[in-house]
Amino acid sequence: MAVALLASVFVVAACGLVYELAAGALASYVLGDSILQFSTIIGSYLFAMGVGSWLSRYFERQLPAHFLRIELLVALVGGALPAILFIANAWTPDAFRLLLYGLVFLVGTLVGLEIPLVMRILKRDVALKDLVSQVLTFDYLGALAVSVAFPLLLVPHLGLVRTGLLFGFMNAAVALWALWLFRHELRRLKAHALACGLTLAVLATGFVGADHITTLAEDRFYQDRAVFSAQTPYQRIVVTHGRSGHRLYLNGNLQFAEHDEYRYHEALVHPAMAAHGSPRKVAVLGGGDGMAVREILKYPTVERVTLVELDPAMTRLFRDHEPLAALNGHALRSPKVTVVNTDAFRWLEEAREIYDVIVVDFPDPTNFSIGKLYTNSFYALLDRHLAASGYAVVQSTSPLLARQSFWTVVQTIESVGLKTAPYHAHVPSFGEWGFVLAGRRPWRTPPQLPEGLRFLDLAGVPALFDFPRDMARVPAEVNRLSNQVLVNLYEDEWGKAKP
């Protein structure tokens, strides 16, 4: 019996950590700033576990029955937590934060009750001197196993909803195992057996129907029908299709809309490419959708394009999924294009090549892992790979809605010794959007642009570099790895911009 209960401790610890990690991941997707969200979720969860441990003192009789009931409650609430939060974000977004912390506190309290009850049951067969060490050993081993499996195996292959339900099923299985172990002590054996059966049935049904749950939530949240969705180790990818065409969302944030993406990508690419004159080697950092590469390949002088994208799921999707590959003109299938799936910061540290043009197309700095790609350390590395006559261009959020953030990017690029030429363009799906050209030589208006552009023409290029008073330059700090001021600044400005 002691060995069986210690094995249960392993499972219980693994399940508890999964619910904590799932809550933190969903909070970072929906609320942004992953460090803040994980920190507050973990703190709240540990506090709730302390409350649960304190409450365990009031459980005096029928400990196996109490343990069984608590396991079933953890299985239902914890297992359903990701699904509930997905649906809440789609249907009642204003209540998401309250529901998030309410569920975290409830699950944490229940998990905090588990281990003290197990230890008190084990006291019958295990000496006190061995009890604590054995229980904590199995508890920590369960946590270790899940902490490795969650990002590498569980979420990429099962997704958050199925991962939660699977571990809820495991909690229910522990309850079923306890039912068998203590069948001679339980007073209402049939009622407990029925509760276990119903709980397992509910979780199994949810696991089978997880795709429907996710689709229901995402169709509601994104308005248009989701035609593709995937949870990768790096992000949640959702592609929708509606009357205005395809839209790409990463972690719930719109990345492009088919009906006006050309305005964004023409503005991003052509001022730098055309001003260079005859670019041969080009690097694109981010931009796994291949839209920027499509625009780069319009220059006949280009011999090689290196696309550095962290998430291989993105480049596979926009290379192999025909409707999406058609949007980028099958650019990722071009023999001129080499795709490197790695972290751009690390790639710049290790690569040795020099490029005529570098296009930096990362998501906005919503968290510190992305924010490092907007620091002076990153731009110093970028400068090392830029030819003396070359240009880099950086997408830099909205100078209208996040004015201070935009000019922080400019100030940070200038801090490494590069000359800058900030500019902006209107993209209806985003509003006014900003970019920063950088190089060792001043930027000059290009003498010509490629044929067939839908947005840019030579007459309109100078207007991009003219900032009206409400977007004009303001004093800004340098964004450094040691402070990452941009992330908090960005969150503050965009938070005020939301209705």
Side-chain angles (χ1 to χ4, degrees):
M1 181 180 293
V3 174
L5 283 173
L6 287 171
S8 298
V9 170
F10 180 92
V11 175
V12 164
C15 294
L17 185 58
V18 160
Y19 307 141
E20 183 180 358
L21 292 173
L26 276 166
S28 64
Y29 292 169
V30 175
L31 303 175
D33 192 350
S34 58
I35 291 181
L36 173 64
Q37 302 311 324
F38 270 99
S39 179
T40 55
I41 291 295
I42 291 171
S44 301
Y45 192 84
L46 291 176
F47 171 73
M49 287 180 65
V51 172
S53 297
W54 180 79
L55 290 174
S56 68
R57 65 194 293 183
Y58 296 105
F59 292 79
E60 297 179 356
R61 299 177 181 178
Q62 289 289 303
L63 296 183
H66 290 311
F67 176 70
L68 190 151
R69 295 187 193 103
I70 289 168
E71 283 303 296
L72 293 179
L73 284 172
V74 173
L76 286 171
V77 181
L81 182 145
I84 292 170
L85 291 177
F86 260 118
I87 293 171
N89 184 49
W91 292 83
T92 57
D94 292 341
F96 177 85
R97 194 185 300 267
L98 178 63
L99 185 61
L100 167 70
Y101 285 97
L103 287 173
V104 166
F105 188 83
L106 176 57
V107 174
T109 301
L110 292 171
V111 170
L113 285 165
E114 291 173 315
I115 300 301
L117 291 181
V118 169
M119 293 179 70
R120 289 165 63 185
I121 295 169
L122 279 169
K123 280 175 64 177
R124 306 170 181 178
D125 304 302
V126 181
L128 183 61
K129 67 183 182 66
D130 299 321
L131 176 61
V132 174
S133 64
Q134 290 182 6
V135 169
L136 292 182
T137 296
F138 278 84
D139 184 72
Y140 295 150
L141 285 174
L144 173 64
V146 160
S147 65
V148 174
F150 186 82
L152 299 180
L153 297 174
L154 296 171
V155 174
H157 295 289
L158 295 178
L160 281 172
V161 172
R162 276 204 173 98
T163 295
L165 291 165
L166 173 64
F167 278 78
F169 197 90
M170 291 170 64
N171 265 127
V174 169
L176 192 63
W177 182 239
L179 178 71
W180 171 255
L181 286 177
F182 301 106
R183 61 191 181 279
H184 300 300
E185 298 182 40
L186 297 171
R187 294 176 180 174
R188 292 179 291 176
L189 186 63
K190 290 183 179 180
H192 289 307
L194 179 61
C196 288
L198 289 174
T199 301
L200 288 166
V202 168
L203 292 167
T205 302
F207 188 88
V208 172
D211 288 339
H212 297 291
I213 296 172
T214 304
T215 300
L216 173 69
E218 289 181 338
D219 285 352
R220 170 75 179 185
F221 180 76
Y222 297 112
Q223 304 302 316
D224 294 333
R225 180 173 59 92
V227 295
F228 176 87
S229 61
Q231 178 66 57
T232 79
Y234 309 104
Q235 59 200 347
R236 176 86 182 157
I237 303 172
V238 175
V239 179
T240 67
H241 187 268
R243 285 182 294 179
S244 59
H246 292 88
R247 291 172 178 260
L248 169 68
Y249 296 85
L250 300 180
N251 294 339
N253 298 310
L254 179 65
Q255 303 301 303
F256 76 72
E258 182 179 347
H259 72 280
D260 62 7
E261 59 81 14
Y262 67 92
R263 295 177 68 97
Y264 172 90
H265 290 102
E266 287 183 12
L268 172 70
V269 169
H270 295 297
M273 290 288 292
H276 183 279
S278 57
R280 294 185 302 109
K281 293 168 58 178
V282 181
V284 181
L285 311 184
D289 53 41
M291 306 298 185
V293 176
R294 176 196 66 201
E295 298 301 318
I296 290 166
L297 292 176
K298 292 178 180 178
Y299 291 81
T301 61
V302 171
E303 299 172 0
R304 185 148 54 94
V305 181
T306 302
L307 172 62
V308 182
E309 163 63 46
L310 177 63
D311 194 343
M314 275 288 292
T315 47
R316 282 198 304 267
L317 176 64
F318 283 88
R319 181 194 64 204
D320 301 333
H321 192 280
E322 186 53 38
L324 300 178
L327 293 181
N328 62 40
H330 303 97
L332 300 187
R333 302 179 192 175
S334 169
K336 294 182 178 182
V337 177
T338 300
V339 176
V340 181
N341 292 124
T342 190
D343 177 77
F345 205 112
R346 181 185 303 171
W347 181 80
L348 286 176
E349 288 178 323
E350 298 174 354
R352 294 291 177 266
E353 292 192 73
I354 303 298
Y355 293 89
D356 300 310
V357 175
I358 301 177
V359 177
V360 183
D361 191 18
F362 298 130
D364 280 2
T366 55
N367 58 59
F368 291 103
S369 61
I370 300 176
K372 72 176 184 179
L373 305 174
Y374 287 82
T375 60
N376 61 341
S377 299
F378 180 82
Y379 295 133
L381 290 171
L382 192 73
D383 182 31
R384 281 171 31 188
H385 294 276
L386 197 60
S389 60
Y391 291 113
V393 59
V394 180
Q395 93 77 14
S396 309
T397 197
S398 171
L400 179 61
L401 298 179
R403 183 178 179 183
Q404 190 81 39
S405 299
F406 175 81
W407 292 107
T408 296
V409 176
V410 177
Q411 182 69 31
T412 304
I413 294 173
E414 291 176 347
S415 73
V416 302
L418 291 169
K419 296 179 173 63
T420 65
Y423 64 103
H424 62 98
H426 183 72
V427 183
S429 293
F430 299 102
E432 288 295 325
W433 211 255
F435 310 86
V436 183
L437 261 162
R440 298 188 192 119
R441 59 170 174 152
W443 180 82
R444 296 287 184 267
T445 303
Q448 62 182 19
L449 293 169
E451 295 182 359
L453 301 188
R454 300 168 60 189
F455 169 55
L456 283 184
D457 58 27
L458 284 177
V461 168
L464 302 180
F465 294 81
D466 181 33
F467 284 82
R469 293 180 62 183
D470 58 354
M471 293 192 291
R473 186 159 189 164
V474 292
E477 289 185 61
V478 173
N479 187 45
R480 306 176 190 276
L481 273 177
S482 58
N483 61 22
Q484 291 254 25
V485 296
L486 180 59
V487 173
N488 292 327
L489 185 60
Y490 175 89
E491 287 292 325
D492 182 58
E493 290 190 302
W494 275 101
K496 292 177 181 176
K498 293 177 181 177

